[in-house]
Amino acid sequence: MSKPRLLPTGNCWCGCGKEVGLGKFFAQGHDKTAESALIALKYEGSVPHFLHAHGYGPQHSVTGAAVEQAGWQECVCGYRGAPASVRRHQAKDGHSGLKE
């Protein structure tokens, strides 16, 4: 299923009304505010309910799926995250290499 192309409007998408810079959707930190608000509205404020509703949990790893399908990476130590996050982790903890 293709997703619509979203365009920044110059106002924060959390709905706070703040103006944001060119090419931005959110004021700093407001993406997490919007995410938390949606989880509160739709999933009783519970991340486990949110994950379960989308088929994830102990039996089906959301971070494993992100590595397989969304461009995330996994460090040799098992840490998973977006490529920039994995690079920061490796630099901080002295790890080198990705899990194959």
Side-chain angles (χ1 to χ4, degrees), residues 79-93:
Y79 175 86
R80 294 173 176 163
S85 179
V86 171
R87 284 191 301 275
R88 282 191 302 274
H89 158 79
Q90 289 176 327
K92 183 180 109 183
D93 292 350

Side-chain angles (χ1 to χ4, degrees), residues 5-23:
R5 181 170 181 235
L6 302 177
L7 299 172
T9 63
N11 292 309
C12 183
W13 274 44
C14 84
C16 69
K18 287 190 177 190
E19 288 187 20
V20 295
L22 190 61

Side-chain angles (χ1 to χ4, degrees), residues 35 38-40 42-57 62:
E35 180 180 73
L38 183 58
I39 290 171
K42 300 292 184 177
Y43 303 99
E44 302 167 10
S46 167
V47 173
H49 280 105
F50 170 68
L51 292 172
H52 176 76
H54 292 276
Y56 296 102
V62 68

Side-chain angles (χ1 to χ4, degrees), residues 23-74:
K24 296 192 180 290
F25 288 94
F26 296 99
Q28 186 172 355
H30 289 211
D31 55 335
K32 295 299 178 187
T33 300
E35 180 180 73
S36 295
L38 183 58
I39 290 171
L41 285 167
K42 300 292 184 177
Y43 303 99
E44 302 167 10
S46 167
V47 173
H49 280 105
F50 170 68
L51 292 172
H52 176 76
H54 292 276
Y56 296 102
Q59 76 290 353
H60 186 216
S61 170
V62 68
T63 58
V67 168
E68 291 173 12
Q69 302 169 28
W72 274 30
Q73 295 177 336
E74 184 171 3

